[in-house]
């Protein structure tokens, strides 16, 4: 099948594609170097709708290449260059169409169609240049890799091959060309390590230093300088030298290191990274066509996999659903927030104060029970601002402004009398929080919103003794506050729409992913994690060894094991949440006597470091009383997942969140659960756990799976 036929067939599968055109114009190069044909990729929208490649877009690029090939053959141009519209080079394949593919042959056509077009750039009879003027990802990076030379703007904010992050491989030349350009170790870093580090982006400077780009220029005159540089290359004034690589053991070691990175992240649970590494290994031989064929096959296999569909589903949740929170009131009801109060000056409260000051840029006042604690809290915020200044992330004027916004006061009336939004972050005990809210109600304005950062207590009960309980909302952050995006916004029984809308408005300014939750014990993430960890703890208490339990959950590819998570959360907090949930649902949430002993002994977890390795703490083991019921890895995994499936089913019945998608969004952004699980419900559906436990799947067919 010809390229044209491939693209025509694929175009029928991508309804509504925003087609990127490839405009050709001719420029006289400096230094009398000759005429250059410049192809500009542009979808007709501004930078807020980035340029992508679907079948229609590839066909437009193919048409432009028809023209410049003919011009080059006739000697009318001495070079061809590709660049993008302002701020955007191109951000890869149009993934919306990929979700609709149902046949392996169609998936194969997507890979082959892209390769067939991009390969023509390398086959041009004249040198080709990629001018990376703005954001470049996936296929956008790859179209440039097919060029002879590349320049990059120092202002490029994001440059990556994110495919492995989503459950794909760089399938239009990335896995084959990049290791042959910059070497296997650097290629593994870009393709595997960065992608698996939550899609870490490169800046323009990194692109140049890695050797992906041959030259770097400032954004102000990037195109002019790139054209001048191209002219120097063409006239012999600049010679680009490429590094030679060891194609023996060093290459093998780089790929082996990549497998170690993948194992550490997903433990073999998601295939994309391993397929990418196989192709990088194959690229060692320098046979580009064999590499492209392998990319086509891997791309097609992965497009038809459950992991990729779950990854795309997760991507859509984070990119789209997160921006339009389900069930949020009309934003026009939100009241302005020009001053924020924080009750407490401990670590969590201080982190919140820093976040509010940085994002809202309004005065933030902390209070606590004594001046020493207040001074320590304000001092922490100021020190963190100094760190941002030292790292060059903010300037001196901005640092001084932020420090000036954050203060502390012992008197709540003075501190909060004119605050529009006050959040408490005090000890997790109902009586303490009710007392704080009573004190606040006496001093704040009638329209001020009162928020609680409780992780598990009833917001309704917390507000029950107030004259105006309608202005109380749950506003639950996740640690570390600066990193984890999730913010569970909890509607208590009497919370009014204006207070809730204000909370959502504040969340948006904080750049958090806000999810509306019903006022139910432990809300969303902590309830699911506590059920999961509680089941694991019960299995250990009954007699299954730690090693078996740890190995059982590895195939899920979670960011950390339940035991490591317990250590991160802290046994005391985990015990407190399990006690809260046991009080609400005693038949499903047990309180582990062994965990109680660990907390009583002041232990931080079950492991200690010994000679550079993590081993079970013998002092902790001596505390435990365990039974003699030993499960296999498969039994452990099944029991833990069935518990999670049951709990999610009950939460959806109770209306804790609007839909299963909100559960998944919470688990991705609040617990760091991976894209290849789609959060959790796509995995439970795919593995048959949902139907086994609840008699039905959580999601409609095709939502996070291959459409029927």
């Amino acid at each position: 099948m010809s390229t044209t036929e491939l693209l025509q067939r694929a175009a029928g599968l991508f309804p509504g594609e925003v087609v990127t055109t490839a405009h050709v114009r001719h420029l006289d190069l400096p230094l009398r170097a000759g005429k250059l044909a410049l192809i500009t990729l542009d979808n007709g929208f501004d930078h807020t709708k980035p340029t992508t490649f679907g079948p229609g877009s590839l066909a437009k690029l193919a048409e432009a290449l028809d023209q410049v090939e003919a011009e080059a053959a006739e000697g009318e141009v001495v070079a061809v260059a590709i660049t993008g519209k302002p701020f955007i080079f191109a951000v890869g394949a149009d993934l919306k169409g990929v979700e609709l593919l149902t046949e392996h042959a169609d998936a194969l056509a997507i890979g082959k169609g892209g390769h067939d077009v991009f390969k023509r750039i390398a086959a041009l009879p004249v040198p080709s240049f990629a001018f990376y003027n703005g954001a470049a990802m996936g296929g956008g990076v790859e179209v440039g890799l097919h060029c002879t030379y590349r320049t990059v703007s120092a202002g490029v904010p994001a440059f990556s091959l994110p495919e492995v992050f989503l459950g794909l491989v760089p399938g239009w030349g990335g896995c084959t060309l990049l290791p042959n350009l910059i070497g296997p170790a650097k290629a593994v870093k870009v393709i595997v390590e960065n992608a698996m580090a939550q899609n870490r982006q490169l800046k323009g400077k990194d692109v140049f230093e890695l050797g992906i780009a041959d030259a770097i220029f400032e954004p102000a005159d990037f195109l002019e300088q790139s054209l001048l540089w191209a002219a120097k290359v063409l006239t012999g004034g600049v010679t680009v030298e490429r590094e030679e690589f060891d194609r023996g053991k060093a290459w093998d070691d780089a790929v082996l290191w990549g497998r170690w990175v993948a194992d550490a992240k997903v433990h073999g649970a998601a295939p994309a990274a391993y397929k990418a590494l196989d192709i990088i290994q194959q690229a060692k031989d320098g046979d580009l066509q064999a590499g492209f064929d392998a990319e086509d096959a891997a791309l097609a296999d992965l497009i038809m996999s459950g992991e990729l569909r779950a990854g795309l589903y997760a991507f859509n949740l984070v990119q789209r659903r997160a921006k339009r929170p389900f069930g949020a009131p009309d934003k026009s009801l939100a009241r302005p927030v020009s001053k924020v109060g924080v009750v407490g000056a401990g670590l969590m409260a201080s982190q919140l104060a820093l976040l509010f000051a940085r994002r809202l840029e309004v005065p933030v006042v902390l209070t606590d029970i004594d001046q020493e604690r207040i001074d320590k809290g304000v001092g922490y915020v100021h020190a963190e601002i100094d760190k941002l200044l030292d790292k060059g992330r903010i300037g001196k004027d901005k640092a001084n402004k932020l420090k000036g916004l954050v203060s502390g006061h012992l008197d709540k009336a003075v501190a909060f009398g004119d605050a529009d939004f006050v959040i408490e972050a005090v000890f997790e005990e109902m009586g303490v929080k009710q007392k704080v809210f009573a004190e606040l109600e006496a001093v704040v304005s009638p329209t001020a919103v009162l928020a609680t950062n409780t992780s598990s207590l009833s917001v309704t009960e917390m507000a029950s003794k107030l004259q105006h309980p309608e202005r109380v909302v749950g506003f639950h952050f996740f640690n570390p506050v600066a990193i984890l995006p999730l913010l569970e916004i909890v509607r208590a029984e009497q919370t009014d729409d204006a207070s809730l809308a204000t909370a959502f408005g504040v969340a948006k300014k904080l750049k958090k992913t806000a999810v509306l939750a019903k006022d139910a014990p432990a809300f969303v993430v902590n309830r699911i994690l506590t059920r999961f960890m509680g089941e694991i703890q019960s299995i250990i208490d009954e007699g299954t060894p730690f090693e078996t339990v740890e190995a059982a959950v590895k195939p899920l590819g979670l960011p950390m094991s339940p035991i490591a998570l317990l250590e991160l959360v802290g046994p005391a907090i985990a015990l407190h949440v399990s006690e809260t949930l046991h009080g609400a649902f005693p038949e499903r949430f047990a309180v582990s006597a062994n965990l109680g002993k660990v907390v009583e002994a002041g232990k931080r977890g079950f492991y200690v470091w010994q000679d550079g390795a993590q081993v079970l703490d013998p002092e902790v083991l001596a505390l435990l009383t365990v039974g003699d019921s030993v499960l296999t890895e498969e039994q452990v995994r099944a029991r833990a997942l069935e518990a999670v499936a049951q709990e999610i089913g009950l939460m959806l019945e109770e209306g804790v969140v609007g839909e299963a998608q909100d559960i998944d969004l919470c688990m991705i952004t609040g617990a760091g659960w991976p894209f290849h699980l789609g959060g959790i419900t796509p995995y439970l559906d795919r593995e048959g756990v949902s139907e086994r436990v609840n008699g039905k799947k959580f999601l409609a067919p095709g939502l996070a799976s291959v459409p029927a």
Side-chain angles (χ1 to χ4, degrees):
M1 195 181 292
S2 70
T3 304
T4 303
E5 289 170 325
L6 273 175
L7 294 176
Q8 284 174 346
R9 172 177 172 168
L13 304 166
F14 279 64
E17 177 191 351
V18 177
V19 175
T20 297
T21 56
H23 305 286
V24 180
R25 59 183 171 133
H26 298 91
L27 304 170
D28 289 318
L29 288 167
L31 309 177
R32 298 181 178 176
K35 197 178 289 290
L36 173 138
L38 180 66
I39 299 172
T40 302
L41 305 171
D42 191 345
N43 62 3
F45 293 89
D46 68 14
H47 66 280
T48 59
K49 197 173 189 77
T51 304
T52 56
F53 290 118
S57 307
L58 289 170
K60 291 291 184 185
L61 179 56
E63 288 173 16
L65 290 171
D66 288 340
Q67 178 184 336
V68 299
E69 272 174 0
E71 291 169 351
E74 292 297 320
E76 295 171 17
V77 297
V78 296
V80 174
I82 301 176
T83 194
K85 67 183 183 182
F87 309 110
I88 304 289
F89 183 78
V91 297
D94 179 354
L95 294 174
K96 292 194 292 294
V98 170
E99 297 170 41
L100 304 174
L101 298 178
T102 59
E103 299 293 335
H104 191 275
D106 294 330
L108 197 62
I110 295 296
K112 195 168 183 328
H115 269 131
D116 286 354
V117 175
F118 287 6
K119 282 190 300 186
R120 292 175 61 190
I121 300 167
L124 288 167
V126 293
S128 53
F129 296 82
F131 299 153
Y132 289 124
N133 64 301
M137 298 173 201
V141 170
E142 289 170 301
V143 72
L145 294 179
H146 285 267
C147 294
T148 324
Y149 306 102
R150 285 153 295 279
T151 66
V152 68
S153 166
V156 166
F159 185 104
S160 65
L161 290 171
E163 287 84 353
V164 165
F165 174 67
L166 295 171
L168 288 169
V169 297
W172 286 342
C175 289
T176 301
L177 295 173
L178 193 63
N180 278 294
L181 176 67
I182 63 174
K186 291 177 184 175
V188 166
K189 182 178 179 65
V190 175
I191 293 169
V192 176
E193 186 184 6
N194 285 359
M196 299 187 91
Q198 293 299 304
N199 192 20
R200 184 190 297 140
Q201 299 293 314
L202 301 170
K203 307 284 191 207
K205 180 169 169 281
D206 306 317
V207 176
F208 173 64
E209 288 176 353
L210 281 166
I212 299 171
D214 303 301
I216 184 169
F217 302 111
E218 289 302 314
D221 57 351
F222 173 71
L223 182 58
E224 292 83 351
Q225 290 301 321
S226 292
L227 291 169
L228 177 59
W229 184 83
K232 289 177 181 177
V233 170
L234 293 167
T235 56
V238 168
T239 302
V240 175
E241 294 181 1
R242 301 265 191 251
E243 189 181 343
E244 286 296 321
F245 309 110
D246 177 350
R247 293 181 180 270
K249 185 175 182 300
W251 195 291
D252 298 339
D253 288 347
V255 173
L256 196 63
W257 170 70
R259 294 189 193 284
W260 180 85
V261 170
D263 285 344
K265 289 286 186 181
V266 298
H267 313 288
Y274 302 96
K275 283 186 180 286
L277 290 162
D278 288 343
I279 302 168
I280 294 170
Q281 180 67 50
Q282 184 177 324
K284 168 182 169 180
D285 300 331
D287 184 339
L288 299 186
Q289 187 54 54
F292 297 158
D293 291 343
E295 288 175 353
D296 288 343
L299 201 61
D301 289 348
L302 290 167
I303 284 173
M304 301 311 293
S305 73
E307 288 84 2
L308 181 272
R309 301 309 170 114
L312 291 177
Y313 161 82
F315 181 77
N316 288 333
L317 290 181
V318 171
Q319 293 295 315
R320 296 178 199 160
R321 191 179 185 90
K323 291 169 185 168
R324 293 184 291 277
F326 186 89
D330 189 322
K331 61 185 178 184
S332 67
L333 298 172
R335 292 191 281 263
V337 173
S338 57
K339 182 178 178 181
V340 172
V342 181
V343 184
L347 181 59
M348 175 54 99
S350 301
Q351 288 183 63
L352 295 181
L354 176 64
L355 182 69
F356 279 107
R358 285 193 71 194
R359 299 286 188 233
L360 271 62
E361 295 194 4
V362 299
V364 179
V365 186
L366 296 101
T367 65
D368 211 316
I369 55 175
D370 58 52
Q371 192 63 44
E372 185 182 348
R373 291 177 198 231
I374 293 170
D375 292 344
K376 186 177 178 183
V378 173
Y380 169 87
V381 176
H382 287 189
E384 289 300 306
I385 292 168
D386 284 335
K387 287 179 188 175
L388 293 170
L389 176 63
D390 291 343
K391 291 174 183 174
R393 290 176 62 185
I394 57 174
K396 195 165 178 44
D397 289 346
K398 186 66 172 281
N400 289 335
K401 180 185 176 184
L402 291 176
K403 284 184 184 178
L405 289 173
V406 180
S407 62
H409 207 289
L410 261 176
D411 187 333
K412 289 186 177 69
V414 174
F416 303 145
D418 56 347
D420 305 298
F421 189 94
V422 183
I423 184 167
E424 69 76 24
V426 299
F427 185 66
E428 192 77 345
E429 202 277 312
M430 183 59 76
V432 174
K433 290 181 185 285
Q434 286 180 328
K435 181 172 180 288
V436 164
F437 272 166
E439 291 171 355
L440 288 174
E441 188 173 52
V443 299
V444 298
S445 76
T447 57
V449 173
L450 302 181
T452 170
N453 185 43
T454 182
S455 61
S456 61
L457 298 177
S458 167
V459 181
T460 301
E461 186 182 345
M462 213 177 288
S464 62
K465 297 181 180 179
L466 299 178
Q467 287 183 310
H468 295 285
E470 70 276 1
R471 55 160 150 191
V472 177
V473 297
F475 212 64
H476 179 222
F477 291 86
F478 288 78
N479 240 332
V481 169
I483 295 171
L484 287 175
L486 181 63
L487 183 53
E488 291 175 341
I489 296 184
V490 182
R491 181 171 208 153
E493 285 178 15
Q494 292 184 269
T495 307
D496 63 24
D497 282 351
S499 299
L500 199 63
T502 303
F504 273 100
V506 170
K508 186 174 182 180
K509 287 182 180 175
L510 292 174
K511 299 183 179 177
K512 290 294 180 183
T513 297
V515 174
L516 179 64
K518 180 182 174 183
D519 186 21
F523 317 129
V524 184
V525 173
N526 283 344
R527 180 162 164 185
I528 294 169
L529 288 180
T530 303
R531 184 73 198 276
F532 179 59
M533 291 160 64
E535 204 64 38
I536 294 291
Q537 183 69 56
S538 294
I539 290 167
I540 290 169
D541 292 349
E542 290 163 15
T544 300
F546 280 84
E547 297 82 358
T548 304
V549 170
E550 294 275 33
V553 295
K554 275 191 175 180
L556 298 176
L558 298 177
M560 62 183 73
S561 74
I563 312 300
L565 179 61
L566 178 74
E567 214 157 297
L568 180 70
V569 170
I573 292 174
L575 182 65
H576 167 73
V577 177
S578 69
E579 287 170 342
T580 300
L581 283 161
H582 176 72
F585 312 113
E587 71 285 359
R588 299 195 310 278
F589 289 87
V591 177
S592 167
N594 281 333
L595 185 58
K597 292 175 190 174
V598 172
V599 172
E600 197 176 331
K603 292 290 185 179
R604 284 286 308 152
F606 290 93
Y607 289 104
V608 289
W609 287 94
Q610 207 172 74
D611 300 325
Q614 216 176 24
V615 296
L616 286 165
D617 185 343
E619 292 181 15
V620 170
L621 289 178
L623 297 171
L624 307 183
T625 304
V626 298
D628 56 7
S629 173
V630 179
L631 302 184
T632 65
E633 290 177 21
E634 291 74 18
Q635 289 170 324
V636 171
R637 188 162 56 250
R639 185 167 144 186
L641 289 174
E642 285 169 8
V644 169
Q646 182 193 33
E647 203 59 37
I648 293 171
L650 291 167
M651 289 167 71
L652 292 171
E653 282 179 20
E654 293 167 24
V656 175
V657 291
E659 296 178 325
Q661 289 95 313
D662 293 315
I663 296 275
D664 293 319
L665 183 57
C666 285
M667 296 309 289
I668 292 163
T669 57
W673 282 30
F675 269 39
H676 69 259
L677 296 181
I680 187 60
T681 68
Y683 180 82
L684 295 172
D685 284 355
R686 191 165 74 235
E687 296 297 313
V689 182
S690 312
E691 288 176 286
R692 195 161 67 242
V693 173
N694 301 320
K696 61 181 180 180
K697 291 185 174 182
F698 288 114
L699 302 171
L703 191 58
S705 56
V706 178

